[in-house]
Amino acid sequence: MLAGISSNYLRRGALAAARSPRLLSSTRLAPSYNTTYSAGMKIVAVLYKGGSAATEEPRLLGTIENQLGIRSWLEEQGHEFIVTDDKEGPDSVFQKNIADAEVLITTPFHPAYVTKDIIDKAKNLKICITAGVGSDHVDLNAAVERKIQVLEVSGSNVVSVAEHVIMSILLLVRNFVPAHEMIERGDWQVSEVARNAFDLEGKVVGTIGAGRIGYRVLQRLVPFNTKELIYYDYAALPEDAAKAVGARRVEDLKDFVSQCDVVTVNCPLHEGTRGLVNAELLKSFKKGAWLVNTARGAICDKDAVAAALKSGQLSGYAGDVWNVQPAPVDHVWRTMKNPLGGGNGMVPHYSGTTLDAQARYAAGTKSILENYLKSQEQEPQNIIIGLEGYATKAYGQRK
């Protein structure tokens, strides 16, 4: 749960000296992006490739084609703006350009992984901005050491993700995917899908994490008349907030999962949550429980989840986050099934990048950049790391 946020002032350094022209994209980008600009500050953005969909739909702002809608705004101020989806390896456009960039913008949906090694190479880097929510792709401790500020557009996609969680819970509990696949095959055998379909009413549903997203999940579950709503979080909800959704806190994680028919993961990824849902914890789940994870893939042990689903310890696993993104073609979560041939509700990472969410996080990214350029105070809720270090407990109890 987000708490203890302090106010920080973010100051940008002097403008970098004018530089020689830089290649803006890898060869994977359309020729129209192979343009160069120099002067002012160097800003690198790693976004996802939109292809023809982004050309046809300009509201896909989080793509390399539509570039958060900020290219002309930055160029008018004389800044160099490099946008790419090429992020892996030392020869990638990202790694070639990060060395002298002052600002990095990336997205949780196609993250540039900013490791300590990358930070060591990025001698001029002053600020990392997440176009969205979740900054675990940055080595936050290394950023603190280097006094690199890390900000994200807090709240920009919390509703989008919470809605996706509810959808994922329902498609697992109602055994929707196998039923739809049956129709696509041209079959019609109601008993084959109804044998593993249940009502959400009367079930115990719990969230690991009751912050901005987790709490909204609880709010949206109230009308389903569940048996009970419970949550696990190191910080208790305010009494009135817990009362409003009728949620009970369980302080021991194994005790918590043992009570749940449905578990949904809604906490940030950090040292304390990486691999949190592992083989040992899965043994404490109710047999046949459903697990939904739209937080971060690495919170759940990949192989342990697949094994639990295969054995029937889990009836289903759904989400849109993967331990590596994009997920490899042979990633076990793509094809894993329960003993009845269902239980897989995995999709690409898109819960927080609806067109509505993209409008919010594009506007938020521009606002953060504008504050930085003008040496103005940032909105406190957006600050993960300020010049004085961690400004939030969202990534562990550090303050």
Side-chain angles (χ1 to χ4, degrees), residues 167-178:
M167 176 187 72
S168 299
I169 291 172
L170 288 171
L171 71 84
L172 288 182
V173 173
R174 300 306 296 261
N175 206 24
F176 176 84
V177 174

Side-chain angles (χ1 to χ4, degrees), residues 14-45:
L15 285 176
R19 304 180 180 91
S20 58
R22 306 282 184 178
L23 180 67
L24 287 184
S25 62
S26 70
T27 55
R28 291 154 61 189
L29 295 188
S32 60
Y33 297 109
N34 192 16
T35 314
T36 58
Y37 299 88
S38 59
M41 185 170 43
K42 183 173 183 179
I43 301 165
V44 174

Side-chain angles (χ1 to χ4, degrees), residues 108-139:
F109 315 103
H110 186 77
Y113 293 104
V114 187
T115 63
K116 186 179 187 304
D117 287 343
I118 295 294
I119 287 175
D120 289 342
K121 295 173 185 175
K123 303 299 184 183
N124 196 46
L125 188 62
K126 303 293 192 305
I127 182 171
C128 295
I129 301 171
T130 300
V133 176
S135 298
D136 50 275
H137 51 276
V138 179
D139 185 324

Side-chain angles (χ1 to χ4, degrees), residues 50-131:
S52 60
T55 303
E56 296 164 4
E57 179 48 83
R59 290 176 296 176
L60 281 166
L61 292 169
T63 62
I64 56 174
E65 291 81 4
N66 296 322
Q67 306 179 1
L68 298 169
I70 59 174
R71 173 172 288 285
S72 60
W73 175 69
L74 287 172
E75 289 172 357
E76 287 169 1
Q77 300 176 70
H79 301 304
E80 181 183 9
F81 190 39
I82 295 176
V83 178
T84 186
D85 66 328
D86 183 23
K87 65 188 182 77
E88 303 297 340
D91 294 326
S92 65
V93 173
F94 161 58
Q95 290 203 27
K96 283 182 177 179
N97 283 279
I98 195 64
D100 59 346
E102 184 170 334
V103 178
L104 172 66
I105 303 169
T106 188
T107 168
F109 315 103
H110 186 77
Y113 293 104
V114 187
T115 63
K116 186 179 187 304
D117 287 343
I118 295 294
I119 287 175
D120 289 342
K121 295 173 185 175
K123 303 299 184 183
N124 196 46
L125 188 62
K126 303 293 192 305
I127 182 171
C128 295
I129 301 171
T130 300

Side-chain angles (χ1 to χ4, degrees), residues 237-299:
L237 285 168
E239 186 177 351
D240 58 342
K243 185 177 180 180
V245 294
R248 175 173 61 90
R249 183 186 180 203
V250 179
E251 296 187 46
D252 180 81
L253 184 57
K254 287 187 176 181
D255 183 25
F256 166 80
V257 299
S258 73
Q259 298 180 48
C260 294
D261 298 297
V262 180
V263 175
T264 170
V265 181
N266 299 291
C267 61
L269 174 64
H270 54 78
E271 302 99 315
T273 59
R274 184 177 296 275
L276 183 69
V277 181
N278 54 28
E280 184 62 28
L281 184 64
L282 285 164
K283 293 176 184 176
S284 296
F285 274 59
K286 283 186 180 180
K287 185 172 179 61
W290 297 278
L291 176 60
V292 173
N293 179 14
T294 56
R296 287 296 182 264
I299 294 172

Side-chain angles (χ1 to χ4, degrees), residues 147-167:
K147 295 188 180 298
I148 294 171
Q149 301 157 71
V150 180
L151 288 93
E152 58 187 46
V153 190
S154 294
S156 60
N157 57 17
V158 293
V159 169
S160 311
V161 176
E163 289 183 357
H164 193 101
V165 172
I166 301 302
M167 176 187 72

